[in-house]
């Protein structure tokens, strides 16, 4: 029997009832990885031996009648920007290719405490900068729905593991869309939690005021289950919110009666992809039929989101990436005559072109004489964008938009045109700027049979409203049951 194509909530029940062992599940997932990974290339590091040892531990606990945890024996894939002690953590960059994590990220400790099994580390855009997983130092990841297409990014490896059943659950990170856009491209569920909801201790920083860790899963229930494990206050992360998280499984109600859903007119514009628009509009109609009230709203500063993001995120990145200097850890150039040359060559040889572009943009925006004109101005507009959402959420419970302007594009299509690549996140970036939570879930396919994503946003710390709307939609559709043929 195949187990790799099941969800975590289906498998935890089977493991606890002793219908199957975690060892069987883990072996089955690795059998699947061995079969499809040569085509998909979702992982940069596989942890088969460690995973089997973790599975054996869980099985021993269950056999002894002990409590084995909420995710007992469930194989989970981790994006390669989160630290697992004793394992390579590269951020898909040459500059960290030799880096072994000396400690665990908090989310890794939380998952381990609940019995999770780590399958490996997944491919990503270098330092999470990108929307296609093409900037990885280790090569591209391929979309399981069409191997000529990108899986989205930057958490493209994690998203691909879900579509290709190369793990049962996955974690990604989202700074401007990097969980939701790949989820949309791969036809799976991806949630960016509220800023501060999930600890980022042990996540390699890209843009610290925007970064957030979150689940990529095969259905909405698994996203809630995973959130129950990772949404915890962490004193080791100064931005972690000391607010008790609810039991998200309780928000999984198949009922949107009376729920107010806002549709922002700025997200449905002239020239948008017709197939995406059609699927999203049909999803809205279905929710209306199921009892939700649809309200047209406006988020007037939407047009500035991309510009603001591409000032703030590179500025923060330029500061965060200053630490990769070849002195403390990571790659060091083999031939330098003095310290300055060592810095220059290490960074010149260690970073790829997109990372360098961001460092230059950020350094420029922060430099004296330009700071007020760019960084400070962008911060002010960021507040206006946040205020737009606060106003909107006085009137509605959730906001629905497309996740991405199009389905997954062809590999190579946007690599020479950074601006086109940046536009992939036009609908997701506002959420990070405002710090609110948002989910992408499958809502249809294009005529080419490529998945389309629906984005559901809510106000700060109201993931519950997202879960309710998303679960209702999922329970009344079958998109999440479709699998690519590999
Ligand atoms: N694609 C966006 C960028 O390149 C967002 C990336 C992310 O969320 N990590 O910056």
């Amino acid at each position: 029997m195949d187990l790799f194509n099941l969800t975590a909530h289906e498998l935890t029940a089977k493991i606890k009832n002793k219908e199957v062992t975690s060892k069987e599940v883990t072996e089955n997932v690795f059998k699947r990885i061995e079969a499809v990974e040569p085509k998909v290339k979702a992982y940069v590091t596989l942890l088969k031996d460690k995973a089997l040892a973790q599975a054996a531990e869980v099985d021993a606990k269950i056999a002894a009648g002990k409590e084995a945890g909420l995710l007992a024996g469930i194989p989970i894939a981790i994006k390669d920007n989160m630290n697992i002690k004793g394992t390579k953590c590269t951020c898909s960059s040459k500059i960290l290719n030799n880096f072994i994590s000396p400690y665990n990220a908090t989310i890794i400790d939380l998952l381990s405490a609940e019995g999770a099994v780590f399958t490996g580390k997944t491919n990503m855009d270098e330092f999470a900068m990108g929307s296609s997983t093409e900037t990885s130092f280790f090569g591209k990841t391929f979309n399981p729905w069409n191997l000529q297409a990108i899986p989205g990014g930057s958490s493209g490896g994690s998203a691909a593991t879900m579509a290709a059943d190369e793990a049962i659950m996955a974690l990604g990170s989202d700074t401007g869309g990097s969980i939701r856009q790949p989820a949309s491209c791969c036809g799976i569920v991806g949630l960016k939690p509220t800023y501060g909801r999930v600890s980022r201790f042990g996540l390699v920083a890209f843009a610290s005021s925007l970064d957030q860790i979150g689940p990529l899963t095969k259905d909405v229930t698994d996203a809630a289950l995973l959130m129950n494990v990772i949404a915890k206050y962490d004193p080791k992360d100064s931005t972690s919110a000391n607010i008790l998280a609810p039991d998200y499984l309780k928000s999984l109600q198949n009922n949107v009666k009376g729920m107010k859903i806002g549709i922002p007119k700025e997200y449905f514009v002239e020239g948008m992809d017709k197939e995406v628009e059609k699927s999203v509009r049909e999803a809205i109609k279905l929710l209306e039929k199921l009892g939700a009230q649809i309200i047209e709203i406006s988020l007037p500063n939407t047009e500035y989101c991309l510009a603001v993001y591409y000032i703030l995120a590179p500025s923060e990145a330029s500061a965060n990436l200053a630490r990769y200097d070849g002195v403390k850890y990571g790659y060091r150039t083999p031939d330098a005559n003095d310290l300055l040359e060592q810095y220059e060559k290490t960074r010149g040889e260690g970073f790829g072109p997109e990372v360098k572009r961001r460092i230059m943009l950020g350094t420029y925006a922060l430099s004296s004489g330009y700071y007020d004109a760019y960084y400070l101005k962008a911060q002010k507009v960021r507040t206006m964008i946040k205020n737009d959402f606060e106003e909107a959420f006085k009137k509605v419970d959730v906001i629905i938009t497309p996740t991405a302007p199009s389905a997954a594009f062809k590999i190579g299509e946007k690599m020479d045109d950074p601006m086109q690549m940046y536009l992939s996140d036009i609908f997701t970036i506002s959420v990070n700027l405002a710090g609110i939570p948002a989910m992408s879930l499958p809502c249809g396919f294009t005529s080419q049979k490529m998945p389309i994503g629906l984005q559901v946003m809510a106000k700060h710390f109201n993931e519950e409203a997202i879960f309710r709307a998303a679960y209702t939609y999922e329970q009344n559709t079958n998109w999440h049951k479709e699998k690519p043929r590999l």
Side-chain angles (χ1 to χ4, degrees):
M1 183 171 99
D2 280 337
L3 301 166
F4 59 75
N5 49 11
L6 299 181
T7 58
H9 61 93
E10 288 163 340
L11 280 169
T12 42
K14 285 189 195 297
I15 294 171
K16 277 182 194 149
N17 298 338
K18 303 188 185 161
E19 265 174 72
V20 294
T21 62
S22 173
K23 179 165 177 270
E24 283 166 336
V25 175
T26 307
E27 277 174 349
N28 195 251
V29 166
F30 274 96
K31 205 179 99 198
R32 174 69 175 174
I33 292 174
E34 276 142 34
V36 301
E37 183 62 2
K39 293 187 207 163
V40 180
K41 298 194 189 301
Y43 285 97
V44 291
T45 303
L46 285 167
L47 300 170
K48 188 173 179 183
D49 294 343
K50 280 190 190 176
L52 287 169
Q54 285 172 317
E57 247 177 68
V58 170
D59 287 334
K61 266 195 190 166
I62 290 173
K66 288 192 203 140
E67 182 44 56
L70 287 176
L71 296 176
I74 299 299
I76 301 191
I78 307 290
K79 186 176 182 179
D80 204 26
N81 57 356
M82 299 175 218
N83 285 284
I84 304 181
K85 190 175 176 178
T87 301
K88 254 172 84 160
C89 183
T90 69
C91 292
S92 289
S93 180
K94 180 179 175 185
I95 215 156
L96 282 175
N97 191 17
N98 61 5
F99 181 72
I100 311 274
S101 303
Y103 65 95
N104 273 341
T106 295
I107 44 103
I108 296 299
D109 284 336
L110 291 171
L111 289 167
S112 301
E114 295 296 342
V117 167
F118 303 115
T119 52
K121 306 292 291 290
T122 58
N123 199 18
M124 54 188 278
D125 280 297
E126 187 180 0
F127 281 101
M129 297 170 187
S131 306
S132 65
T133 315
E134 291 171 292
T135 68
S136 166
F137 174 64
F138 304 108
K140 302 169 186 49
T141 294
F142 301 88
N143 190 316
W145 289 92
N146 173 352
L147 297 170
Q148 260 100 57
I150 56 113
S154 64
S155 313
S158 284
T161 64
M162 291 297 92
D165 288 320
E166 292 187 73
I168 304 301
M169 296 173 133
L171 277 185
S173 66
D174 190 313
T175 304
S178 279
I179 289 175
R180 291 159 287 154
Q181 185 260 7
S184 172
C185 291
C186 289
I188 55 138
V189 172
L191 173 70
K192 185 207 92 78
T194 307
Y195 185 76
R197 180 81 286 181
V198 176
S199 166
R200 300 175 304 159
F201 179 77
L203 167 74
V204 178
F206 161 11
S208 306
S209 78
L210 302 158
D211 299 340
Q212 184 63 79
I213 292 174
L216 291 118
T217 54
K218 298 180 194 181
D219 69 5
V220 174
T221 303
D222 271 9
L225 181 60
L226 192 43
M227 280 295 283
N228 275 359
V229 174
I230 61 172
K232 297 265 154 60
Y233 168 64
D234 180 12
K236 287 189 208 149
D237 172 357
S238 62
T239 62
S240 170
N242 194 354
I243 301 173
L244 193 67
D247 177 355
Y248 292 110
L249 290 168
K250 290 208 176 114
S251 355
L252 303 178
Q253 302 163 33
N254 183 354
N255 176 9
V256 285
K257 288 211 179 68
M259 196 170 201
K260 295 194 177 110
I261 299 181
I263 312 299
K265 60 172 191 267
E266 291 81 3
Y267 285 68
F268 293 84
V269 289
E270 198 67 38
M272 74 186 289
D273 185 291
K274 288 285 166 268
E275 292 181 312
V276 171
E277 179 171 14
K278 185 164 171 275
S279 292
V280 172
R281 292 224 187 261
E282 275 168 13
I284 295 165
K285 249 187 242 150
L286 176 62
L287 287 163
E288 186 171 29
K289 211 179 101 206
L290 294 167
Q293 190 188 339
I294 307 298
I295 301 170
E296 188 177 303
I297 58 162
S298 171
L299 297 165
N301 292 296
T302 299
E303 62 176 308
Y304 304 118
C305 289
L306 208 64
V308 166
Y309 176 88
Y310 278 98
I311 303 258
L312 298 182
S315 295
E316 294 182 26
S318 72
N320 276 326
L321 272 60
R323 71 191 69 172
Y324 305 104
D325 56 7
V327 176
K328 297 182 278 293
Y329 47 71
Y331 173 79
R332 179 186 297 167
T333 184
D335 61 326
N337 296 314
D338 56 39
L339 188 62
L340 191 62
E341 198 179 43
Q342 181 183 302
Y343 289 152
E344 283 174 357
K345 282 195 170 169
T346 294
R347 289 167 68 81
E349 292 159 17
F351 290 131
E354 185 57 32
V355 176
K356 286 180 191 163
R357 181 179 296 125
R358 305 285 177 113
I359 292 173
M360 286 189 280
L361 279 171
T363 308
Y364 180 79
L366 291 176
S367 58
S368 103
Y370 295 104
Y371 180 93
D372 287 359
Y374 295 110
Y375 186 78
L376 193 66
K377 170 98 54 66
Q379 288 289 24
K380 289 179 181 167
V381 181
R382 179 180 187 172
T383 303
M384 290 162 64
I385 292 163
K386 184 166 160 271
N387 291 345
D388 281 356
F389 280 103
E390 270 163 20
E391 282 307 308
F393 285 121
K394 286 180 187 158
K395 295 181 223 123
V396 299
D397 302 303
V398 294
I399 293 174
I400 287 188
T401 74
T403 305
S406 70
F409 45 88
K410 287 266 149 61
I411 285 170
E413 197 180 301
K414 302 195 177 175
M415 272 307 266
D416 299 326
D417 190 345
M419 205 41 217
Q420 277 306 313
M421 188 70 89
Y422 297 172
L423 282 165
S424 309
D425 296 300
I426 185 98
F427 298 146
T428 47
I429 271 174
S430 56
V431 162
N432 303 74
L433 292 170
I436 59 173
M439 177 186 278
S440 177
L441 72 159
C443 73
F445 290 90
T446 64
S447 52
Q448 303 292 310
K449 191 77 187 170
M450 292 305 282
I452 297 171
L454 182 75
Q455 180 169 235
V456 186
M457 312 167 178
K459 68 178 179 194
H460 294 98
F461 298 101
N462 195 12
E463 281 83 357
E464 289 158 291
I466 295 177
F467 278 123
R468 188 175 145 207
Y471 184 74
T472 304
Y473 179 75
E474 184 188 72
Q475 292 306 301
N476 289 281
T477 52
N478 283 317
W479 309 117
H480 64 293
K481 293 185 187 143
E482 305 229 10
K483 299 265 184 185
R485 261 184 282 282
L486 268 166

